[in-house]
C-alpha cells in the first residue's frame, strides 16, 4: 500500500540543506587567517558576511576592501555567484554537464528553485540561465574594466578584478563593493553607474522574463502574464521611484544638494534602481530624509521579479494584491489582470506570502528595537533591507548587538529561501477535504 506521507527529502528541504552546507563552508573559509588582512574575523563577522553574500544581500559589518584579503574577497564573490544562480540549480547544471541526464528527484528540485513551468524544461532553463548570467556579467565587467583602467588609471590587473567583482555583484543584486564608501565616489560617473544599474535591472527581472524577452521582445502581445506584469511593474517602480526620490532629496545638502542637475538626476535614478534588492549606494543613505527612507522601504519590500536574483515580496505578488483590491472595489466576481483571469489559488498564495512577510518584518523590527537603542525608522529600514535581501543601510548594522545581527542573518536566509520553500510547501499540500464546513460570513470592516 503506497504511503501518503511527505517524502523525507522534499525539494524545499534539499535546497535548504544545500544552502546551509554552502553557508557553513563559506563561514569556515572566511574564518581562516588567510581571508583577512589584519586581525582574525570573529565567528559572527564571518557568518554575517557569508550569509549576506550567499543570500545576495550586501549587508556588511566590516569594511569589505579593508578587512577582507584578496582570498576573502574571492570567497565572497563565489558565494554571491552561487547564491544568485541557486545552489541546487548550480549542482543540477554541473550534474547535467557531467552525466548528460537528470533523475526525476533532481529535476523536481531544480523546478522548485527555478520556478520552471514543467519538469521537461529544466535542461533548457538551466543552460539558458547560465548563458544569460555569464554573458551579462562579461559585458558589464568589460565596460567597468575599461572605465577603471582608462578613466581612473587603475593597473590593468586591478581594473579587471574591480570590473569582474562589481559585475557579478550587480547582476546578482548583491551590493557588495570593493570601495569603502561603496559607489559614492562614482555618484556622477555614468560609465560606472549605468552599466551596474543595467545589470541590477536585468537580474531583478527574473530569468523566465529575460528568456522570454530574448525570443519575443518585439511581440509584447505574445508575452505571458508573468512577463507583462514584471515588465510593466518594473517600469512603474523605476520611474516612480526615481522621480519621487529625486524630488525629495533635490536640495538635501547631505545627498543630492551638492551635485549639479545632471548629477542629481543620475543619482536619483541610481537610488531608485538599488532598492530593487541590489544594495549599492552612490549617496549617503544615513543622510537621506525620513520621507525618502519610507519610499525606499516600499521599493525594497516590493522587490523585483520572481525566479531571479532579486528579493522582496516580488512585483507579481504585489500586482495580484493590487488587482484583488481593484476587483473588490468594482464588485467584480473574478479578479482580472492584463486581460487574464486569476485562479483563486493565486489569490490565496499572494495573500499568504504578503501577510507572512508583514508579520515577519513587524516581529523582527520590534525585536531589534528592544535589543538596540536605535529608533523605529532606522530599524525598520534595516529589517526590510535584510528580509528583501537588499543590503542598503542607514549605518547601524555594525553597531547592532550580536543578537540583533543574528536576527538579520535569519531574515536574510528567509528572504532568499522563503519564496522557494513556501512555493514548494504549497505545491506539496494538494490534499482536498472530502467535506465542507457550514458557510457563515463575519462582519468585515
Amino acid at each position: 500500500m503506497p504511503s501518503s506521507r511527505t517524502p523525507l527529502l522534499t525539494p524545499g528541504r534539499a535546497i535548504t540543506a544545500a544552502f546551509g552546507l554552502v553557508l557553513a563552508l563559506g563561514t569556515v573559509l572566511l574564518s581562516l587567517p588567510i581571508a583577512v588582512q589584519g586581525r582574525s574575523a570573529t565567528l559572527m563577522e564571518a557568518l554575517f558576511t557569508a550569509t549576506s553574500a550567499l543570500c545576495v544581500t550586501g549587508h556588511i559589518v566590516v569594511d569589505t576592501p579593508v578587512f577582507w584579503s584578496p582570498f576573502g574577497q574571492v570567497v565572497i564573490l563565489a558565494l554571491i555567484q552561487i547564491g544568485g544562480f541557486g545552489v541546487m540549480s548550480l549542482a543540477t547544471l554541473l550534474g547535467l554537464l557531467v552525466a548528460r541526464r537528470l533523475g526525476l528527484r533532481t529535476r523536481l528540485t531544480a523546478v522548485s528553485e527555478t520556478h520552471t513551468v514543467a519538469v521537461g524544461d529544466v535542461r533548457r532553463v538551466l543552460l539558458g540561465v547560465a548563458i544569460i548570467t555569464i554573458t551579462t556579467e562579461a559585458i558589464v565587467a568589460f565596460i567597468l574594466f575599461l572605465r577603471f583602467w582608462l578613466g581612473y588609471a587603475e593597473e590593468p590587473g586591478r581594473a579587471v578584478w574591480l570590473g569582474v567583482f562589481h559585475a557579478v555583484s550587480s547582476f546578482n543584486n548583491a551590493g557588495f563593493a570593493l570601495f569603502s564608501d561603496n559607489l559614492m565616489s562614482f555618484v556622477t560617473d555614468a560609465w560606472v553607474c549605468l552599466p551596474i544599474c543595467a545589470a541590477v535591472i536585468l537580474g531583478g527581472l527574473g530569468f523566465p522574463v529575460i528568456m522570454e524577452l530574448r525570443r519575443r521582445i518585439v511581440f509584447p502581445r505574445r508575452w505571458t502574464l508573468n512577463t507583462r506584469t514584471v515588465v510593466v511593474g518594473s517600469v512603474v517602480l523605476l520611474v516612480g521611484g526615481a522621480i519621487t526620490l529625486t524630488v525629495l532629496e533635490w536640495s538635501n545638502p547631505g545627498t543630492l544638494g551638492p551635485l549639479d542637475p545632471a548629477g542629481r538626476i543620475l543619482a536619483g535614478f541610481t537610488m531608485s534602481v538599488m532598492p530593487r534588492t541590489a544594495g549599492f549606494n552612490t549617496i549617503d543613505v544615513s543622510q537621506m530624509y525620513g520621507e525618502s527612507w519610507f519610499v525606499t522601504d516600499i521599493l525594497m519590500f516590493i522587490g523585483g521579479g520572481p525566479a531571479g536574483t532579486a528579493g522582496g515580496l516580488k512585483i507579481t505578488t504585489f500586482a495580484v494584491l493590487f488587482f484583488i483590491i481593484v476587483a473588490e472595489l468594482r464588485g467584480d466576481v473574478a479578479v482580472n489582470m492584463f486581460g487574464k483571469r486569476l485562479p483563486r489559488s493565486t489569490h490565496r498564495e499572494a495573500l499568504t506570502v504578503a501577510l507572512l512577510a508583514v508579520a515577519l518584518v513587524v516581529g523582527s523590527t520590534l525585536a531589534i528595537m528592544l535589543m538596540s537603542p536605535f529608533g523605529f525608522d532606522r530599524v525598520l529600514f534595516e529589517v526590510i533591507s535584510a528580509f528583501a535581501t537588499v543590503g542598503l543601510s542607514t549605518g547601524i548594522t555594525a553597531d547592532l548587538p550580536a543578537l540583533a545581527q543574528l536576527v538579520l542573518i535569519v531574515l536574510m536566509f528567509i528572504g532568499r529561501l522563503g519564496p522557494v520553500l513556501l512555493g514548494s510547501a504549497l505545491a506539496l499540500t494538494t490534499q482536498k477535504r472530502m467535506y465542507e464546513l457550514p458557510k457563515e460570513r463575519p462582519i468585515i470592516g
Side-chain angles (χ1 to χ4, degrees), residues 40-207:
S40 299
T42 65
L43 177 60
M44 179 57 71
E45 290 169 342
L47 176 61
F48 194 98
T49 303
T51 305
S52 183
L54 184 62
C55 297
V56 291
T57 304
H59 263 312
I60 58 173
V61 290
V62 292
D63 191 346
T64 303
V66 174
F67 188 83
W68 302 110
S69 68
F71 174 81
Q73 293 172 14
V74 170
V75 172
I76 291 172
L77 186 68
L79 290 172
I80 291 172
Q81 190 70 282
I82 293 172
F85 190 82
V87 175
M88 294 306 296
S89 295
L90 180 61
T92 302
L93 178 61
L94 293 176
L96 173 64
L97 296 176
V98 173
R100 297 288 180 178
R101 61 191 303 270
L102 299 173
L104 179 59
R105 182 177 297 277
T106 302
R107 293 188 180 216
L108 289 173
T109 304
V111 164
S112 179
E113 190 173 37
T114 61
H115 291 261
T116 309
V117 175
V119 175
D121 295 335
V122 172
R123 183 190 303 268
R124 177 179 57 83
V125 168
L126 291 181
L127 291 175
V129 168
I131 292 172
I132 291 170
T133 301
I134 294 172
T135 302
T136 304
E137 291 175 352
I139 293 173
V140 175
F142 181 70
I143 296 173
L144 294 177
F145 154 70
L146 291 178
R147 186 56 178 166
F148 289 130
W149 178 36
L150 301 177
Y152 294 93
E154 295 281 0
E155 293 293 328
R158 169 71 174 170
V160 169
W161 174 237
L162 290 174
V164 170
F165 189 96
H166 292 92
V168 173
S169 184
S170 58
F171 180 74
N172 289 286
N173 280 223
F176 277 90
L178 293 182
F179 304 98
S180 295
D181 62 355
N182 206 275
L183 298 180
M184 289 173 60
S185 299
F186 311 100
V187 60
T188 58
D189 191 338
W191 288 101
V192 172
C193 293
L194 292 183
I196 288 178
C197 285
V200 169
I201 293 171
L202 282 175
L205 289 177
F207 293 116

